[in-house]
Amino acid sequence: MRINKYISHNTKYSRREADKLIEAGDVFVNRKKIEDFAYNVQEGDEVSIKGLHVKERTELTMVVFNKPKGTLVTRKDDRGRSTIFHKLPGKFRHFIPIGRLDFASEGLLLLTDSPRVAEVMMKSGLDRTYNIKIDKPFSSEMEEAMREGLILDDARAGGHEKSKIYSMEFEPFIHYEVRNAGANFTKLRVTIAEGKNRELRRFFGHFEANVLDLKRVEFGGIQLNNLPTGKTRFFTRREYDDLHKYLKMIRQVEAQEKKEEEDRVKAERLREKRQNQTEDQRRRAESAEKKRLKEINQKNSNKNNPNKKNKKF
């Protein structure tokens, strides 16, 4: 894990603050000052800041937050806009958001104090369910794209004006249903298994529909239910149990993938070894054959030279 990320996950400092600490010469790894901002912390490394040891967090705490509209999922904003950490209690300042909801979106946002859990869940294909309101009637083209998926070379509609993302591929929706409709609007509940940048806004933007409201109500089986806007709650025992089962499954999958990769590397090395052995045998055989032919040619040369006599001393 990159050094500034490691510090932000295990201390009160943000990544930017961690970079400033590195620049000031206050960060040490294994008692050596770190000057490389790209240094990756290895297992067994001892990290310290201003002489204080950084203890890696091993306990797991999960929080559900009902993010309000008009807040950013970031620690600091250079334009002074409100962030979720302005709304969260101070004891959650070091927690890591799992995924993002854009400035105008609201609803369920998971946070954790475990970098490992945050990484696993952000990369997961866990279901994400949203309540959405668009300013157009629901069309057959939208429904077909939800069923079949969609590939856009130009997915800028619905994206942020400064976004560098142009193309996007949308997997088929897990579930969708129209909950209400009028002449100029449609309310839907949709479930997808991805969390790409403004994915749903870009999807509907392709059909020239603006997303007026977007609220996430469920993530991986964790439901928002009646949690008030701007409030938090801890996971229930059942939710922790389900999470631990999921993490155990991920560990098993990763262990299997690691073993398969190790087996593949071993098989490749064995194949190369056998190829090298075969090549060595071929070269030795060629060398022996050349030597044999040379000896035969030498004998024939001696027989065919009648003037050549053995000298006696």
Side-chain angles (χ1 to χ4, degrees):
M1 182 184 295
R2 198 179 176 107
I3 183 66
N4 64 350
K5 187 176 181 181
Y6 179 89
I7 291 172
S8 72
H9 285 176
N10 295 290
T11 71
K12 63 181 181 179
Y13 299 107
S14 68
R15 292 192 197 184
R16 290 181 183 177
E17 289 170 336
D19 286 338
K20 290 179 180 179
L21 289 168
I22 295 170
E23 187 176 8
D26 292 329
V27 179
F28 288 75
V29 176
N30 302 325
R31 298 183 179 181
K32 293 182 180 179
K33 185 191 297 184
I34 284 294
E35 297 178 346
D36 181 8
F37 290 88
Y39 179 80
N40 282 307
V41 178
Q42 306 298 315
E43 186 175 353
D45 279 351
E46 293 185 0
V47 180
S48 61
I49 300 172
K50 298 179 179 180
L52 298 177
H53 176 65
V54 175
K55 184 178 180 181
E56 189 169 342
R57 292 191 174 103
T58 56
E59 296 180 355
L60 170 62
T61 304
M62 300 294 300
V63 172
V64 180
F65 176 52
N66 188 350
K67 173 193 174 297
K69 289 183 180 181
T71 54
L72 292 169
V73 183
T74 186
R75 295 192 181 276
K76 289 185 178 180
D77 179 55
D78 54 10
R79 293 164 56 185
R81 291 174 295 179
S82 176
T83 77
I84 60 169
F85 292 97
H86 291 126
K87 306 294 182 182
L88 286 165
K91 62 184 177 181
F92 299 134
R93 185 168 183 258
H94 63 282
F95 275 47
I96 308 156
I98 298 174
R100 294 182 182 274
L101 286 171
D102 63 49
F103 188 75
S105 298
E106 61 182 321
L108 186 148
L109 181 68
L110 301 181
L111 298 104
T112 180
D113 57 358
S114 167
R116 169 61 177 162
V117 172
E119 181 179 15
V120 167
M121 295 192 73
M122 279 190 279
K123 293 180 178 179
S124 73
L126 294 171
D127 290 357
R128 298 147 166 88
T129 300
Y130 302 83
N131 289 340
I132 298 175
K133 180 180 179 181
I134 59 174
D135 64 353
K136 292 284 178 66
F138 187 59
S139 67
S140 58
E141 291 80 10
M142 292 178 188
E143 186 170 15
E144 181 181 1
M146 288 180 176
R147 287 199 314 266
E148 305 296 332
L150 184 65
I151 299 175
L152 296 179
D153 293 329
D154 187 350
R156 288 176 292 177
H160 192 278
E161 59 182 7
K162 294 184 179 180
S163 175
K164 295 181 180 179
I165 299 174
Y166 283 77
S167 61
M168 187 170 286
E169 181 174 353
F170 304 85
E171 296 293 330
F173 284 35
I174 304 299
H175 175 76
Y176 62 89
E177 62 177 290
V178 175
R179 311 192 81 188
N180 197 359
N184 299 314
F185 75 93
T186 306
K187 291 183 178 181
L188 305 105
R189 172 166 286 193
V190 302
T191 300
I192 58 177
E194 300 175 300
K196 296 177 181 177
N197 179 272
R198 298 173 71 94
E199 181 175 1
L200 291 170
R201 295 184 188 276
R202 292 175 190 267
F203 177 89
F204 288 105
H206 173 66
F207 301 99
E208 299 182 346
N210 296 310
V211 175
L212 304 177
D213 294 309
L214 190 153
K215 183 174 185 176
R216 182 156 62 198
V217 295
E218 186 173 344
F219 186 129
I222 308 301
Q223 297 180 349
L224 187 63
N225 293 329
N226 296 321
L227 183 66
T229 300
K231 298 298 182 180
T232 61
R233 70 168 177 84
F234 292 102
F235 266 29
T236 65
R237 175 51 53 194
R238 181 190 64 78
E239 289 169 341
Y240 272 119
D241 289 343
D242 290 343
L243 175 60
H244 285 300
K245 289 177 184 177
Y246 177 74
L247 295 175
K248 181 179 180 180
M249 181 195 71
I250 292 296
R251 286 195 297 271
Q252 291 173 341
V253 170
E254 289 178 340
Q256 181 62 29
E257 290 177 346
K258 183 179 180 181
K259 184 179 183 301
E260 290 176 355
E261 177 63 16
E262 290 174 348
D263 291 344
R264 186 193 66 78
V265 171
K266 287 180 182 179
E268 180 66 20
R269 288 175 178 171
L270 180 60
R271 185 182 66 82
E272 291 178 355
K273 183 179 179 180
R274 288 175 177 172
Q275 284 182 339
N276 292 336
Q277 290 175 339
T278 301
E279 184 64 20
D280 288 343
Q281 290 173 352
R282 185 187 64 78
R283 283 197 295 265
R284 286 196 294 268
E286 288 181 351
S287 178
E289 180 65 11
K290 287 180 180 179
K291 183 177 180 180
R292 187 182 70 82
L293 292 175
K294 184 177 180 180
E295 290 174 351
I296 292 174
N297 290 335
Q298 185 65 40
K299 289 179 181 179
N300 291 337
S301 176
N302 292 338
K303 289 179 180 180
N304 294 331
N305 188 355
N307 295 324
K308 189 172 183 179
K309 298 179 179 180
N310 293 329
K311 293 183 179 181
K312 293 181 180 181
F313 295 93

